[in-house]
Amino acid sequence: MQIPLIRLQCGVNSYDWGKLGKESAAAKFASATPSESFSILEEKPYAELWMGTHPSLPSKDLETQRTLLDLVQDNQALLSQDISRRYGGKLPFLFKVLSIRKALSIQAHPNKKLAEKLHARDSKNYPDDNHKPEMTIAVTPFDGLCGFRPLAEISHFLSTIPSLRTLVGESKTTQFQSSIQGRETAESKEDLESNKKALQSAFSALMENDKAAIASAAQDLVSSAKTEGDHFAGGGGPSNGGQELADLIVRLNGQFEGDVGLFVLFFLNYVKLEVGEAMFLKADDIHAYLSGDIIECMASSDNVVRAGFTPKYQDIPTLTSMLTYSYAPISEQKMQPVDYPYVTLNATAYSSASSSTLYDPPIEEFSVVRTELKRSGAKATFEPIDGPSIFICTSGQGRISVGPKVEQVKQGYVFFVGATAEAVLESDGDDFTTFKAFCELRGKEGANGVR
């Protein structure tokens, strides 16, 4: 019987927003595994390394060149019988490395019900019938837009940025501000629903402007950003200072001149993540990544509803109607990782402050563990789980073993580990960092409403 430790060859996508050449972690990691069809071109953007069974860019067994999808469908035990049944013989998650040079589109991913409807209506632009909740973990410093700001901040910007108020319209602005006044942080169901409706009305009014109106307003906005400094946007809000927002406007206008996204950012949280920090985005949550290298894990889908910062197909009516319009401060967007309980560190690992950290979103398709082994000989032994795992090394080198099979691991190497297999990582230096994406239904019975 084959030992369930498989080194993978993974593909990388070239999108315009990706980092160039060897500056891209996605490209560097892809090039670590030999491939006749891939070599890094210095002026080419490399955006995403994909690890999984998604048909758009399936991973392959490096040795046999069979796709991982073929392997797990031939041998359901690699996923576990339960997971194979529930997810149609496919890996439930798609694991990625993103290298972001400039803004991705302002976007959201549809929930399961909407995904099925969009796929049936327009399979070209919505290639999957699955939802796509996703989690982002920073590998380098990262910034992005994530979820709607607290309502008081949005109201402040509508009062202090004339060009934004012009696009939303005087009537809609006044209606929004009077509707939320005095109950910006109210928690009753009635108040929450009222606030969300007011937010949807104001945001939709912004998004429904024609390109000429947006371009004209953007000229005024950028001029203010360049001249007002700390005083821009009324000095900013509690989350971001005036100069920080002014710099952001100038930077993003250099990438997408006159785009509606320049105004959307005053509705959304501007989030910065340091290395190891993470955020989780539910289906129907609005976001836009702006820069940095990240590990991303999501339900296995490639559906995106876009509405700004992109030359691609934009579907503004779908976006404005699908969003949850939940609003919260930045602190609530970030995840709180914990120690991973199902790993044993040896004495060398403990004495060098090595660690295994769990990022566990409230869904059943995936979780991620970041393991840092900080001394040669440090070892982490992962208990068997009833589900599949994919490991990627982001720095350093060492070894991974399952039973008697031992494989060398270097930066960019990717491995699949089958269900019920004990996996052991051992470091050959002082900085051996891996990320493990996995699915195990145990303990996730309440996720997604499934019991």
Side-chain angles (χ1 to χ4, degrees):
M1 180 179 173
Q2 183 186 26
I3 295 171
L5 174 62
I6 302 167
R7 186 172 168 199
L8 298 179
Q9 184 179 73
C10 303
V12 63
N13 280 321
S14 175
Y15 302 138
D16 185 57
W17 51 261
K19 290 187 177 181
L20 301 178
K22 291 175 183 165
E23 292 296 309
S24 167
K28 282 193 300 184
F29 295 169
S31 68
T33 301
S35 169
E36 292 181 2
S37 61
F38 181 71
S39 60
I40 297 176
L41 303 176
E42 282 308 314
E43 297 304 313
K44 187 173 181 178
Y46 296 98
E48 299 183 347
L49 178 77
W50 284 28
M51 300 166 277
T53 57
H54 194 282
S56 294
L57 195 61
S59 301
K60 297 178 181 178
D61 179 341
L62 176 62
E63 184 178 347
T64 67
Q65 289 296 295
R66 291 186 67 194
T67 68
L68 181 59
L69 180 60
D70 283 344
L71 295 174
V72 299
Q73 291 187 336
D74 273 359
N75 182 1
Q76 292 186 1
L78 289 172
L79 297 182
S80 85
Q81 295 287 346
D82 285 348
I83 288 174
S84 186
R85 254 194 315 270
R86 180 165 292 184
Y87 295 103
K90 300 172 185 174
L91 202 65
F93 58 83
L94 179 57
F95 203 22
K96 296 183 182 181
V97 175
L98 271 62
S99 293
I100 305 158
R101 176 177 54 93
K102 68 178 188 177
L104 278 71
S105 57
I106 292 165
Q107 60 185 255
H109 307 298
N111 61 40
K112 179 72 171 155
K113 187 175 180 180
L114 179 58
E116 291 172 351
K117 188 184 297 184
L118 292 173
H119 178 68
R121 187 183 77 197
D122 182 1
S123 60
K124 177 184 175 184
N125 288 303
Y126 301 107
D128 293 296
D129 61 0
N130 195 22
H131 68 166
K132 192 183 174 185
E134 62 188 28
M135 180 170 64
T136 295
I137 307 171
V139 177
T140 63
F142 161 91
D143 68 341
L145 306 173
C146 176
F148 286 100
R149 294 176 180 270
L151 299 181
E153 290 189 31
I154 298 171
S155 180
H156 167 78
F157 291 135
L158 285 167
S159 294
T160 58
I161 304 172
S163 53
L164 176 64
R165 192 179 185 100
T166 297
L167 289 179
V168 173
E170 191 62 38
S171 173
K172 291 286 187 181
T173 297
T174 303
Q175 184 182 343
F176 170 76
Q177 291 178 323
S178 61
S179 179
I180 67 166
Q181 189 171 12
R183 54 182 181 185
E184 293 93 339
T185 58
E187 295 183 1
S188 73
K189 184 176 180 181
E190 182 181 349
D191 285 339
L192 285 171
E193 287 305 311
S194 174
N195 285 347
K196 287 180 179 181
K197 284 182 180 176
L199 177 57
Q200 180 174 8
S201 178
F203 183 71
S204 297
L206 167 66
M207 299 304 293
E208 288 164 3
N209 278 277
D210 62 40
K211 288 186 177 181
I214 293 167
S216 175
Q219 287 183 333
D220 294 339
L221 180 71
V222 174
S223 176
S224 296
K226 288 179 176 178
T227 58
E228 294 176 10
D230 284 336
H231 300 292
F232 177 68
S239 305
N240 312 113
Q243 186 65 61
E244 181 179 41
L245 289 170
D247 291 344
L248 183 60
I249 287 293
V250 172
R251 172 182 143 201
L252 293 175
N253 189 63
Q255 298 173 8
F256 292 96
E257 185 176 359
D259 193 272
V260 70
L262 302 176
F263 297 94
V264 170
L265 71 85
F266 295 107
F267 278 82
L268 305 186
N269 284 304
Y270 177 49
V271 181
K272 292 183 177 180
L273 299 181
E274 296 302 320
V275 175
E277 288 190 307
M279 61 184 183
F280 174 67
L281 299 160
K282 301 186 296 291
D284 300 336
D285 275 355
I286 189 169
H287 59 283
Y289 299 159
L290 302 180
S291 71
D293 295 294
I294 60 173
I295 291 285
E296 189 179 50
C297 200
M298 64 198 65
S300 188
S301 171
D302 197 26
N303 280 339
V304 183
V305 183
R306 301 178 182 88
F309 288 155
T310 181
K312 295 181 180 178
Y313 173 72
Q314 299 186 37
D315 191 349
I316 289 171
T318 296
L319 184 89
T320 54
S321 64
M322 70 182 275
L323 298 175
T324 61
Y325 292 97
S326 296
Y327 48 90
I330 290 171
S331 58
E332 294 186 26
Q333 305 292 337
K334 293 184 180 181
M335 298 184 70
Q336 302 299 322
V338 298
D339 289 341
Y340 182 54
Y342 303 113
V343 66
T344 301
L345 303 179
N346 69 356
T348 304
Y350 272 117
S351 64
S352 59
S354 299
S355 62
S356 275
T357 304
L358 172 67
Y359 302 83
D360 194 26
I363 58 166
E364 67 178 21
E365 284 93 337
F366 62 84
S367 302
V368 173
V369 175
R370 177 190 187 212
T371 301
E372 296 177 285
L373 298 178
K374 298 183 177 180
R375 187 174 299 161
S376 184
K379 188 181 291 189
T381 301
F382 292 85
E383 294 178 18
I385 60 171
D386 197 20
S389 303
I390 289 181
F391 288 81
I392 181 170
C393 172
T394 57
S395 67
Q397 61 182 33
R399 291 177 296 283
I400 185 171
S401 59
V402 170
K405 187 174 182 179
V406 182
E407 293 267 8
Q408 185 182 34
V409 183
K410 294 183 178 180
Q411 185 186 58
Y413 283 23
V414 181
F415 293 89
F416 174 86
V417 175
T420 71
E422 179 184 86
V424 181
L425 293 172
E426 183 171 358
S427 179
D428 285 343
D430 297 336
D431 177 28
F432 182 39
T433 301
T434 62
F435 288 84
K436 164 190 166 174
F438 67 97
C439 177
E440 184 179 36
L441 300 181
R442 181 185 70 183
K444 292 269 190 167
E445 288 82 3
N448 295 345
V450 176
R451 294 192 177 278

